[in-house]
Amino acid sequence: MDVNNTAKRPTILASIGRRRAALILLCLATLAGCQGVPYRGAEDQARINTDLKLGATPSQFIPLRWAYSDYGIQSGTQTKDAVAVVQPGRVTLVGYEGGHYVSQASFPVASVDCAYIFESEGSDRPVWLLQKERFVFLSPSDHRGNGDMARRVQLVKELGNSGFKLQRDAQGPAYRPTGKSERKLVLNTVVGHHMEEVAENQAYNVCRPQ
């Protein structure tokens, strides 16, 4: 046995451990940096009103992540940060570019067949805005998929108050199982990353006659 190499092993392991810790911190910092929509309450609400020329219309401001998605077999969804501004008859998704708030997308009630509510209103699951050709994925959650139940409850309430038709699971789901499944690496907020058998689903517009 090489005594010198044996003596060096703890030092090497410690060095690897430090590098791994540094990598984790870098990843966390990168994720934090990706949250590119500064929002801290009343001051930023005023700036959003000014930049988007919303006027004096009462609005609700709800930080979330969103994406467009096509109907059909569902896989991973690449989302981006926004602040949902809910006004009577409309929801606008607001981003931040060049020091100013900008509209990423805006959805009047007439362009949405219904807002699909996964599970109960007290859940932290996503909300889908079902349109004719595609749906809009809204998730009051962070980059790790941790849902914020209070924001989700507020989002559902404000969409209903704004005039959007709400469709709940009990009224009919917006997805059908295909009967297939596969093992995927998923993130659970309690036990961390683990392999799980995930059923394959096909999304469709439950609020539009098929």
Side-chain angles (χ1 to χ4, degrees), residues 35 42 60 91 115 131 160 173-174 176 184:
Q35 298 175 357
Q60 290 295 326
V91 58
Q131 298 186 290
R176 303 185 184 99
K184 290 185 177 181

Side-chain angles (χ1 to χ4, degrees), residues 26 54 71 78 104 125 171 175:
L26 176 62
L54 297 179
Y71 294 111
Q78 186 67 36
Q104 295 177 341
R125 297 286 304 281
Q171 298 170 279
Y175 58 91

